[in-house]
Amino acid sequence: MTAGTPKPLLPIAGRPFLDILIEEIARQGVRRFLLLAAFEADRIARFAAALPDRLGRRITVEVATEPAPAGTGGALAHARDRLDPVFFLFNGDSWFDQPLASLRAALARTPRALGVLALRRLSGAGRYGTVEMEGASVTAFRPAGGPQPGPCLVNAGVYLFRREMVSRCPAAGALEHDTLPGLAADGLLAGVSSDAYFIDIGVPEDYARAQHEIEARRRKPALFLDRDGVINEDRGYVATRDRFAFMPGAPEAIRDANEAGCYVFVVTNQAGIGHGYYGAADFHRLMDVIQDELLAVGGHIDDVRFCPDHPEAALEPYRRQSDWRKPAPGMILDLLRHWPVDAANSLMIGDRLSDIEAAAAAGIRGVLFQTGRLDDVLRPFLAGRPARLAGSAGGQP
């Protein structure tokens, strides 16, 4: 199967695995991707060029092609000049459903560390090497195959690094063997562990399991939010940062929903675009600002739908009836088509009856929010949610 196809491009339920992985990463606020490629790099480049439109996301996807296969550490060294000062690194053939906010918080708590590893707790190591920790610090790596009875931690292939660590990467070599152990020995690595769902498609039986398991694991309830009057104060056609102010409890509510394992979606009428008060680019810029401010407190918005249309819009292209404009349910229905949402256990919060009517038309429960704190309104809904579901790794329970 991989004779002519890079493993991350193998299909999972009809989609390239890397499609799903990048979608999972992008929904948590990452907007720029750099794919480190060697084998079939031209095919990777074609995949990268088409991905933003296919996912319908405002992301950039670039490719760094090694002049010769250099291993996981060498690939990173080769891409040194294209990395951000702080960057995530992901294995392209595994998925760990650990919130990226936990790695951001861990790096902030450990200013001396050059990186944070996401670690999966297992009842036994199986085919994986193990990781040892003291407190919050990673202290050692043990190879697979040794005596490793009982509970252990394994490297899940998700990292957050400061760019300075790349100076420790060889021109050719493996990150896991040639770089990480030295960083751990010098006390420069932190770790965060969890029981979140993990799968590595690197062996045939787990690749087969991924065909039905991944989409089932991605199915979860969603919190749909109106924007103006719910996330931010409704000051009339808000399109710039200087006019934006969060509603009380809004960042906390979004973070709480993320941590409970819910999608968070924004569905907002934006007739100000149709009236010519601001443009779609202004809307997107402000949404990027909102996302960045949420990331700073550990929250994120997974996806956004907006409707610029209005029957009396000043600009002719937007002067129309639209099944996206609330109280019509089009924006919610589009999100339900795009994401594996558990609609029966989802919730819409809006500040107008049109929001509640749109939710009802889409088969979603609605709650009217006009006073108080948004996190207080959300709390009863989250109280009925089970904890984030644990998963399996390499056949281990």
Side-chain angles (χ1 to χ4, degrees), residues 214-302:
I214 286 180
E215 202 65 4
R217 292 289 177 173
R218 295 180 74 217
R219 183 173 176 80
K220 60 187 75 175
L223 173 64
F224 295 85
L225 297 173
D226 180 39
R227 199 192 76 172
D228 302 324
V230 175
I231 294 176
N232 58 275
E233 295 178 7
D234 190 350
R235 298 176 174 176
Y237 303 114
V238 176
T240 55
R241 179 62 189 87
D242 61 294
R243 300 191 66 237
F244 177 90
F246 278 113
M247 291 289 286
E252 294 84 354
I254 291 169
R255 181 196 61 209
D256 292 349
N258 297 149
E259 292 179 351
C262 299
Y263 294 117
V264 177
F265 300 134
V266 172
V267 286
T268 174
N269 290 345
Q270 290 293 316
I273 297 172
H275 293 319
Y277 300 147
Y278 52 89
D282 300 304
F283 171 81
H284 288 306
R285 275 191 293 269
L286 181 55
M287 289 305 305
D288 287 345
V289 169
I290 295 169
Q291 184 79 297
D292 290 342
E293 295 194 11
L294 289 170
L295 291 173
V297 299
H300 68 268
I301 293 167
D302 293 287

Side-chain angles (χ1 to χ4, degrees), residues 122-125 148-152:
L122 295 180
S123 60
Q148 300 161 339
C152 60

Side-chain angles (χ1 to χ4, degrees), residues 74-120:
L76 202 56
H78 172 71
R80 174 193 323 265
D81 295 336
R82 300 176 69 177
L83 301 173
D84 289 339
V86 177
F87 64 95
F88 287 103
L89 179 69
F90 302 86
N91 288 354
D93 57 359
S94 61
W95 175 41
F96 188 35
D97 192 23
Q98 170 76 357
L100 300 183
S102 66
L103 277 73
R104 294 186 181 99
L107 193 64
R109 291 193 301 268
T110 53
R112 183 172 178 268
L114 292 183
V116 180
L117 279 66
L119 306 172
R120 177 61 157 84

Side-chain angles (χ1 to χ4, degrees), residues 122-374:
L122 295 180
S123 60
R127 63 186 173 96
Y128 299 103
T130 60
V131 180
E132 296 184 3
M133 292 186 67
E134 291 181 7
S137 296
V138 172
T139 57
F141 296 84
R142 305 299 180 202
Q148 300 161 339
C152 60
L153 296 172
V154 302
N155 181 356
V158 179
Y159 314 84
L160 181 61
F161 285 127
R162 304 188 201 276
R163 189 168 52 199
E164 299 94 286
M165 67 77 59
V166 183
S167 65
R168 308 281 290 261
C169 293
L175 176 74
E176 298 82 356
H177 300 128
D178 300 322
T179 302
L180 296 183
L183 291 172
D186 292 341
L188 298 175
L189 286 183
V192 292
S193 62
S194 85
D195 298 317
Y197 175 73
F198 172 70
I199 191 166
D200 177 347
I201 65 168
V203 296
E205 56 267 29
D206 288 345
Y207 175 68
R209 185 162 57 87
Q211 298 299 328
H212 59 85
E213 199 169 279
I214 286 180
E215 202 65 4
R217 292 289 177 173
R218 295 180 74 217
R219 183 173 176 80
K220 60 187 75 175
L223 173 64
F224 295 85
L225 297 173
D226 180 39
R227 199 192 76 172
D228 302 324
V230 175
I231 294 176
N232 58 275
E233 295 178 7
D234 190 350
R235 298 176 174 176
Y237 303 114
V238 176
T240 55
R241 179 62 189 87
D242 61 294
R243 300 191 66 237
F244 177 90
F246 278 113
M247 291 289 286
E252 294 84 354
I254 291 169
R255 181 196 61 209
D256 292 349
N258 297 149
E259 292 179 351
C262 299
Y263 294 117
V264 177
F265 300 134
V266 172
V267 286
T268 174
N269 290 345
Q270 290 293 316
I273 297 172
H275 293 319
Y277 300 147
Y278 52 89
D282 300 304
F283 171 81
H284 288 306
R285 275 191 293 269
L286 181 55
M287 289 305 305
D288 287 345
V289 169
I290 295 169
Q291 184 79 297
D292 290 342
E293 295 194 11
L294 289 170
L295 291 173
V297 299
H300 68 268
I301 293 167
D302 293 287
D303 209 347
V304 177
R305 295 294 184 270
F306 70 102
C307 181
D309 300 325
H310 190 281
E312 299 175 1
L315 302 181
E316 195 275 333
Y318 303 113
R319 193 182 307 129
R320 58 189 176 190
Q321 296 284 351
S322 172
D323 61 2
W324 274 37
R325 179 172 172 79
K326 294 176 291 187
M331 291 186 285
I332 299 174
L333 293 175
D334 192 65
L335 287 163
L336 293 176
R337 284 189 291 267
H338 187 87
W339 294 93
V341 173
D342 176 4
N345 291 302
S346 295
L347 180 72
M348 169 80 196
I349 301 179
D351 67 328
R352 300 189 180 193
L353 288 177
S354 58
D355 298 314
I356 310 308
E357 292 169 5
I364 302 294
R365 176 188 165 201
V367 171
L368 193 64
F369 168 66
Q370 294 179 319
T371 60
R373 291 179 56 91
L374 186 61

